Structures are given as C-alpha cells and as structure tokens.
Amino acid sequence: MLSVKDEVCEGLDRKENVIAYSLDLTAAFDMLRPDTFKELMRGKIPEDMLGMLDEFLSDRKFFVEIDGKSSVTKKTDRGCPQGSVLGPVLFNLYTGAVKDSLPPSAKITSYADDSYVILADTDQEELIKKTEECISAHIDRLEEIGMIVNQSKTEVILFGKDKETVLVNVKGTAVESKTCIKALGVQIDNALSWSNHIASMKKRIMSIIGGVRIIRNKLSPKQTTSVVTAQIFSILYYACAVWLTPSLGKKNVKTVERLHFKALRLIIRDYRQKVSRNEVTTRTNRLPPDKWGKFAMASMFLNMHNANEPKKLLSKVSTNIYSRTRRQGLLFAFDASRTRIGRQSTRNWIGQTLCDIKIPWCNTLLSKNSIRLLLKKTYSTQ
C-alpha cells in the first residue's frame, strides 16, 4: 500500500495526471497451470528447486466430505494450494510474467492476487489512451497463462482533487472511473484525503463499541482490554502507516482521536467522559494516535529494512533518512493534503521518528530487538 501511494503521489508531485487500475481475476489461485509455471520459471529458479516446486503443484488430488461421508477422489491438473506459505509467492511469480508485456512507464505492485498498475502523463487524454492499451496487453498476457479476467469488474481511479470521472475502454467494455476504490482493506479516494476510509472505519467501530457497552457488566477489565485490542484497535489502526500521517486533515485526525479514546474509556468504564484524555492514556498505558502513527511508520521501516524490500521505497528512506525538507531529497511515502493535491509534507516523519530516539541511525542499530526496544522507550507513556 505504501508503494502504491508513493507511485501515485510521485506522479502528482511532478504535476502529472495519474491513473491506477486493478483487474478482477476469477478463481485466481485455482487457475495456475503447473506446466506453464515450470516453463516460465526455467532459468530463473535453480533446476533442483524447480523440480521440487513442480512436484508441489502437480498431481494434486481432492475430495469433498460432508457429515462424515466422502466423495470419490479426483485429480486436478491446475491450481496453487491456498492457505499455504508458498501459495502467494508462487502465484506472484506466475503472474509476474505480465510485467514484460506492460509499457516501461507502467508501475505494477502486487500482493497475492491483488495487483495495482499506476500510469502517469501530463496530458489526460493521452493517459487514458495509454491506460487502455496497457489494460488490453495486461489482459491478453494473463489469458495466455490461463487466468480468467472479469473485464466488467475492472476498477479505474483518476487521482486529483475535483477530478471528473472518465470512461476507459476495456477491450470493448466502457468502464467509468471511480472516486474511491478499496485496496487491501483500505479505501483510497482520488484526493488522497482518506475521508472515505475513516468514515467506513468509524461506522464499524461505533457498532462494536455499542455492543461492548451492552455486555460491559459481564466483562472484567482484562476481558474488556482484550476486546478493545482485538476488535477495535485492529480496525482503527489497520494500515495506519499508510494514512495516519502528519498531513492527514484536521477533521479526520479528530475522528481518529475520538474513536481511540471512546474505545479506551470502555476499559476504565468512564462512559460519561469525566476522565481527561491524558489520564486515560496513562491508566490504559496506550500511545495517543499521533505517537501511534509515528511508531507504526518506524516499525514499518524496520520491517522493510529486515526484509530488504520493497527496494525502491527502502532506497528512498535509507538515502534521505534525516531529510527535513523536500529540497534535501525525496521523502518517504509522499503524501498529499486534502486541500491541495500534490502539496507534500515538509518533514520526513521517518527521519523525525528515528531522530526522536536520540541515537545516531546506522545499520548496526537496526536489529529487530534493538530498534523495537529503542522505539518503546521513546514512545513510552510512562
């Protein structure tokens, strides 16, 4: 999600029109062909490992069991086991073959069977034409390797504040661009205000809070804490490294803060809001939303560093870790304000967060344990 946002905002920062699209695959994992996979990966994966993967994918059997009774066992000549550790990796390797069929200017980001392609151009009409050609080539290549694309469910979004919807021809089917799309559980609006995502999140959380209040007398403080953590905070701070940034609009910031403290008041049973927010923070030992966002961003950077991917994004962060302004270099995860698309935050909040630790950043400090310990000390509520 950070990669998608970065590609979009990088184009907007160059004063270009930016379009992103996503294709819908029918029974995606079930359509992988083992023989085609072996052909595509030959020369890219060591032969002995390729043989092991071929055995993993080939000659698979299945049956259906209902009420203790089983159907006959049959063989399936295609498909990638879902729920397995290897499944998403093998599927991405398989569909990664489409990259060579797309224009060099098209930026594709994939997670399992969810892929998002971003294109940019200074001329909007030219951009639409390029998008149509890119989608056509994308679909053709996917069908060549056995995928089934539901063309009518193609999602297109044209980024920019107050941008009108446009029609994109998807191999003969007219698809109207949307003002908001849902990607990996996050609603991305064309103005990058995150208002749709926060509004949707608020509706879900308020429903849960109402339910907890009904049964509050039957829950101990420890049980309430577990419910708030698992059922509310998992929604409230999901992917917050993407949207809970310093440039988030004030109205949305206030909404997040209200939801945060409403949830915590359930734990201390302060239903009439007599306890101050600072006291709630101290008694529940939870970070306030502003520090939570910084902590999530720094933790994300740690994960990127340890995994050494995505390489482009990691390179930007590592090169400009202490960059305080855009003039000093590219910022990590460009973000656009609600009022003026393309206006970026002037501070690198990753650099700022690591500066807060007050220990010079270097590779030796970025071990899993040392950085997390430093972050916890920095953002401790004590």
Side-chain angles (χ1 to χ4, degrees):
M1 285 302 303
L2 287 169
S3 294
V4 169
K5 188 179 77 167
D6 182 58
E7 293 290 354
V8 170
C9 290
E10 196 173 31
L12 294 172
D13 201 43
R14 294 192 301 264
K15 309 299 181 183
E16 294 178 328
N17 297 286
V18 181
I19 273 183
Y21 75 80
S22 174
L23 299 177
D24 180 75
L25 301 179
T26 301
F29 275 59
D30 296 329
M31 302 307 293
L32 184 147
R33 296 174 179 173
D35 55 340
T36 305
F37 177 85
K38 191 173 182 179
E39 182 183 330
L40 290 171
M41 294 298 107
R42 195 175 299 281
K44 299 179 180 179
I45 294 178
E47 199 65 30
D48 53 350
M49 184 180 289
L50 186 58
M52 292 172 62
L53 294 175
D54 186 47
E55 288 189 16
F56 177 71
L57 295 170
S58 303
D59 298 322
R60 294 172 55 236
K61 299 176 182 179
F62 72 95
F63 66 90
V64 178
E65 182 177 327
I66 300 177
D67 295 332
K69 296 181 179 180
S70 302
S71 68
V72 295
T73 300
K74 292 191 175 185
K75 287 186 178 182
T76 175
D77 62 350
R78 63 182 63 192
C80 182
Q82 297 188 47
S84 64
V85 175
L86 275 177
V89 178
L90 297 182
F91 184 81
N92 277 157
L93 286 172
Y94 188 71
T95 56
V98 304
K99 290 184 180 180
D100 297 335
S101 303
L102 303 183
S105 59
K107 310 299 182 182
I108 182 169
T109 302
S110 300
Y111 182 84
D113 58 338
D114 288 296
S115 294
Y116 304 91
V117 179
I118 296 98
L119 298 106
D121 198 288
T122 52
D123 184 86
Q124 184 170 302
E125 293 300 321
E126 184 63 25
L127 175 60
I128 294 172
K129 182 180 177 182
K130 284 169 58 176
T131 303
E132 291 173 345
E133 293 173 353
C134 186
I135 292 176
S136 180
H138 196 166
I139 292 174
D140 288 344
R141 185 57 176 142
L142 285 172
E143 291 178 343
E144 282 178 16
I145 61 175
M147 295 289 112
I148 299 175
V149 181
N150 191 338
Q151 298 179 20
S152 62
K153 289 189 176 181
T154 300
E155 289 191 323
V156 179
I157 181 169
L158 175 63
F159 289 94
K161 190 175 183 295
D162 300 326
K163 284 283 187 181
E164 296 181 358
T165 57
V166 295
L167 289 177
V168 177
N169 189 317
V170 180
K171 295 180 77 68
T173 302
V175 174
E176 186 176 12
S177 65
K178 296 184 175 181
T179 56
C180 181
I181 62 171
K182 191 173 183 179
L184 299 176
V186 177
Q187 296 196 36
I188 307 176
D189 59 276
N190 61 347
L192 292 179
S193 68
W194 310 104
S195 295
N196 295 66
H197 177 71
I198 291 172
S200 174
M201 181 177 67
K202 177 183 176 182
K203 185 177 180 181
R204 292 173 63 193
I205 289 175
M206 289 304 295
S207 176
I208 296 171
I209 289 175
V212 175
R213 282 182 173 177
I214 292 173
I215 61 171
R216 64 182 182 271
N217 294 328
K218 297 182 179 181
L219 297 176
S220 66
K222 186 176 180 180
Q223 289 173 324
T224 307
T225 301
S226 297
V227 170
V228 168
T229 302
Q231 302 297 326
I232 298 178
F233 274 35
S234 62
I235 298 173
L236 180 60
Y237 291 112
Y238 172 71
C240 66
V242 177
W243 54 268
L244 188 56
T245 62
S247 61
L248 187 67
K250 290 182 180 179
K251 183 179 178 181
N252 287 327
V253 169
K254 288 182 179 179
T255 299
V256 173
E257 289 175 345
R258 281 196 295 268
L259 293 172
H260 174 95
F261 287 104
K262 271 183 177 290
L264 293 184
R265 290 181 193 280
L266 293 173
I267 298 175
I268 62 175
R269 302 198 175 190
D270 177 36
Y271 306 120
R272 297 189 178 182
Q273 301 186 17
K274 293 182 178 180
V275 179
S276 70
R277 287 185 171 183
N278 287 338
E279 179 67 15
V280 171
T281 297
T282 302
R283 288 173 61 176
T284 58
N285 196 30
R286 298 294 176 99
L287 293 176
D290 58 334
K291 288 188 177 181
W292 196 301
K294 287 183 177 181
F295 180 84
M297 185 67 79
S299 298
M300 180 64 69
F301 171 58
L302 167 67
N303 293 333
M304 288 167 55
H305 179 273
N306 289 341
N308 197 31
E309 61 179 357
K311 292 187 181 297
K312 181 180 178 182
L313 214 50
L314 182 61
S315 174
K316 287 183 180 181
V317 182
S318 301
T319 304
N320 305 286
I321 200 66
Y322 285 125
S323 173
R324 293 289 181 159
T325 67
R326 288 180 56 218
R327 292 180 181 179
Q328 290 179 266
L330 294 170
L331 296 187
F332 170 64
F334 287 115
D335 206 356
S337 72
R338 182 182 181 186
T339 55
R340 182 181 170 194
I341 200 77
R343 183 172 68 85
Q344 315 303 336
S345 175
T346 58
R347 294 178 72 85
N348 181 337
W349 46 92
I350 277 287
Q352 180 185 350
T353 299
L354 294 180
C355 280
D356 287 343
I357 297 173
K358 297 179 180 177
I359 296 179
W361 174 84
C362 62
N363 287 332
T364 56
L365 283 176
L366 282 175
S367 66
K368 186 174 182 179
N369 293 327
S370 64
I371 258 298
R372 284 188 174 163
L373 183 62
L374 290 169
L375 287 171
K376 285 182 179 179
K377 286 182 178 179
T378 301
Y379 292 115
S380 171
T381 58
Q382 302 300 322

